[in-house]
Amino acid sequence: MNIPNSFVEDGMAGDLRPCDPARYRDVMGAFATGVTVMTLGTADGFRLGVTASSFNTVSLDPPLILWSLALRAPSLAEFRRHDHFAVNVLAADQKDIALQFARPSEDKFAGIPTEEGTLGLPLIVGALAHIECRTVARYPGGDHEIMLAEVVSLRRSDRAPLVFQSGAFHELAHA
Ligand SMILES: Cc1cc2nc3c(=O)[nH]c(=O)nc-3n(C[C@H](O)[C@H](O)[C@H](O)COP(=O)(O)O)c2cc1C
């Protein structure tokens, strides 16, 4: 069988070509994701959060999720040090929160209302879902570290999700 490698008629931008960094970013950016903020916190007031779209489900039994963090991210050392963290799945009206946690700053939580979860972690008020997790394995993933985590407790609301695609935030349009 002949597999065509040119899809111009389908609106595809030309032939299949070898992977280079610019093409990789461009093509992978086509994959739409939700947006999360991964938060850490301890009883002595320490807290930290990172915007991440690499979140995904892995296993139902046991309940496992994964996400990956850049090796150059200053927060990586803290995610290696602490096993418990919370996934805050952002709602459509929380784009500013996504941007705030994607920039290095002295206090990433400034102006952001939070409540404390069952593990003492900061949970972002108004999120679409909160998922408290415990990291069970860390794997090398090129220039990122992959964290596999067990889900401890979770809840959701019926808010609309924030969506990220091709470097921009979107709201879900129902078909
Ligand atoms: C929508 C969005 C998704 C992101 N997803 C990831 C991700 O999955 N992994 C990652 O390492 N960085 C991701 N980033 C970049 C980090 O949020 C950013 O580098 C942040 O500054 C890291 O936190 P830190 O500087 O406190 O370590 C994302 C940024 C945005 C805006």
Side-chain angles (χ1 to χ4, degrees):
M1 193 175 71
N2 250 356
I3 300 171
N5 69 352
S6 179
F7 300 91
V8 177
E9 284 157 27
D10 294 343
M12 275 281 183
D15 294 341
L16 284 165
R17 274 190 256 149
C19 187
D20 64 54
R23 176 165 283 253
Y24 177 87
R25 271 174 189 274
D26 183 41
V27 174
M28 296 307 162
F31 184 62
T33 66
V35 183
T36 72
V37 175
M38 304 297 181
T39 54
L40 287 179
T42 54
D44 58 9
F46 163 79
R47 52 189 197 161
L48 182 154
V50 175
T51 301
S53 57
S54 54
F55 168 75
N56 219 320
T57 53
V58 177
S59 159
L60 180 60
D61 185 17
L64 297 172
I65 61 98
L66 66 71
W67 70 291
S68 62
L69 183 58
L71 296 180
R72 61 176 164 70
S75 58
L76 177 62
E78 298 299 344
F79 280 97
R80 284 177 172 166
R81 194 170 298 140
H82 298 96
D83 287 340
H84 288 112
F85 67 93
V87 184
N88 299 263
V89 180
L90 297 184
D93 61 356
Q94 294 185 310
K95 179 182 146 186
D96 291 346
I97 294 180
L99 291 172
Q100 186 159 328
F101 282 99
R103 286 188 213 107
S105 96
E106 282 285 296
D107 180 14
K108 283 192 171 183
F109 288 85
I112 295 178
T114 60
E115 55 186 309
E116 203 173 286
T118 60
L119 303 174
L121 300 163
L123 304 179
I124 296 172
V125 172
L128 169 57
H130 294 135
I131 307 162
E132 295 183 312
C133 299
R134 184 177 67 88
T135 300
V136 293
R138 296 176 172 85
Y139 302 102
D143 56 13
H144 279 56
E145 183 159 303
I146 302 162
M147 280 167 274
L148 183 71
E150 176 182 74
V151 174
V152 177
S153 63
L154 68 173
R155 66 179 177 198
R156 64 165 290 179
S157 74
D158 57 2
R159 294 184 173 92
L162 183 62
V163 175
F164 192 66
Q165 197 258 358
S166 288
F169 294 98
H170 306 268
E171 286 186 39
L172 205 58
H174 290 281

